[in-house]
Amino acid sequence: MSFVNPVGTATHIHSTTSFFGWAGTLFLSSTRVIFAAAFDRVLPSWAANISAKRRVPYGSLILMIVPSVVISAIYAYKPDFTSVFLDATAILALTFLATTVAAIILPWRRKDLYDSSPIAQYKIAGVPMITVVGVITGLFLLFMLYQWSFNSDNLYGTSLQKTPNSVIYFVATYVVAIVIYVVARVVRKRQGIDLDRIHHEIPVE
């Protein structure tokens, strides 16, 4: 008589369902970023196109799905390619760190914008709460980035010395992003569109 291992079954179900949750979240957040970039005129306007029938941003979905299929195929048939993505978490943390810095300086950098937000009423010892929380979050992210990148024992398998391919890949993604933005500024300026004015205000969602 065979017995079902409840722990193994539960683990399998959790792994399967969490994958679909993670994949959905990844595509949801990424398509929003692409849509926002197109809405702000950094990317071509068609990337913000929305299906009138389905109510989905098919332009941004195409820009996500096509590269994902290509990379997934390489990932599946070339095992060594997996090492390229070892530093993915650190890169995400670096992106969050930039957002955290923006939150820390918001009360002074854009006082008008901050004062008009509900969070302006919350302070800790006279310091804006968003700044206090931002500092704590920033310190935690810096600690984790240090551990991921420079841990002498390579505890997480992501030490910069052990993952040169991954470092090169993600540095390249940032370089490509900068190039896209610079090209967009030049093109939009020739069209009479000032990206600085567009990015000066947070659009209403």
Side-chain angles (χ1 to χ4, degrees):
M1 180 180 295
S2 61
F3 294 93
V4 175
N5 185 339
V7 176
T9 302
T11 302
H12 179 72
I13 293 174
H14 175 267
S15 300
T16 304
T17 55
S18 63
F19 168 77
F20 285 106
W22 171 80
T25 303
L26 177 64
F27 273 84
L28 177 63
S29 60
S30 300
T31 50
R32 281 176 62 89
V33 170
I34 294 173
F35 179 90
F39 190 79
D40 289 343
R41 305 297 189 271
V42 174
L43 292 177
S45 58
W46 64 263
N49 287 348
I50 297 178
S51 170
K53 182 178 180 180
R54 304 294 182 182
R55 300 292 192 272
V56 295
Y58 64 87
S60 56
L61 277 172
I62 291 172
L63 286 178
M64 272 295 298
I65 292 174
V66 172
S68 297
V69 170
V70 174
I71 291 177
S72 296
I74 299 174
Y75 198 96
Y77 294 103
K78 188 175 175 54
D80 293 342
F81 189 67
T82 58
S83 64
V84 171
F85 300 99
L86 290 176
D87 291 331
T89 304
I91 296 303
L92 290 174
L94 188 61
T95 304
F96 281 122
L97 181 62
T99 306
T100 301
V101 172
I104 291 173
I105 65 177
L106 177 63
W108 296 275
R109 180 67 177 81
R110 290 299 308 276
K111 191 174 186 303
D112 58 330
L113 194 65
Y114 171 75
D115 289 340
S116 64
S117 66
I119 200 174
Q121 61 182 311
Y122 301 106
K123 295 185 178 182
I124 299 177
V127 180
M129 178 179 287
I130 191 174
T131 299
V132 175
V133 175
V135 169
I136 295 173
T137 304
L139 290 174
F140 174 74
L141 288 174
L142 286 172
F143 171 76
M144 292 308 302
L145 284 168
Y146 177 81
Q147 290 296 324
W148 285 327
S149 303
F150 302 105
N151 186 281
S152 58
D153 298 325
N154 193 28
L155 183 62
Y156 303 98
T158 57
S159 175
L160 295 182
Q161 295 181 344
K162 302 293 184 179
T163 58
N165 292 339
S166 190
V167 173
I168 294 172
Y169 174 78
F170 285 110
V171 168
T173 60
Y174 272 93
V175 171
V176 170
I178 293 172
V179 170
I180 291 174
Y181 181 74
V182 171
V183 171
R185 284 187 66 91
V186 173
V187 172
R188 296 308 183 191
K189 187 175 182 179
R190 291 177 179 175
Q191 296 173 342
I193 300 174
D194 187 356
L195 291 185
D196 287 336
R197 293 182 64 84
I198 293 176
H199 298 153
H200 190 69
E201 297 291 340
I202 298 177
V204 178
E205 292 195 10

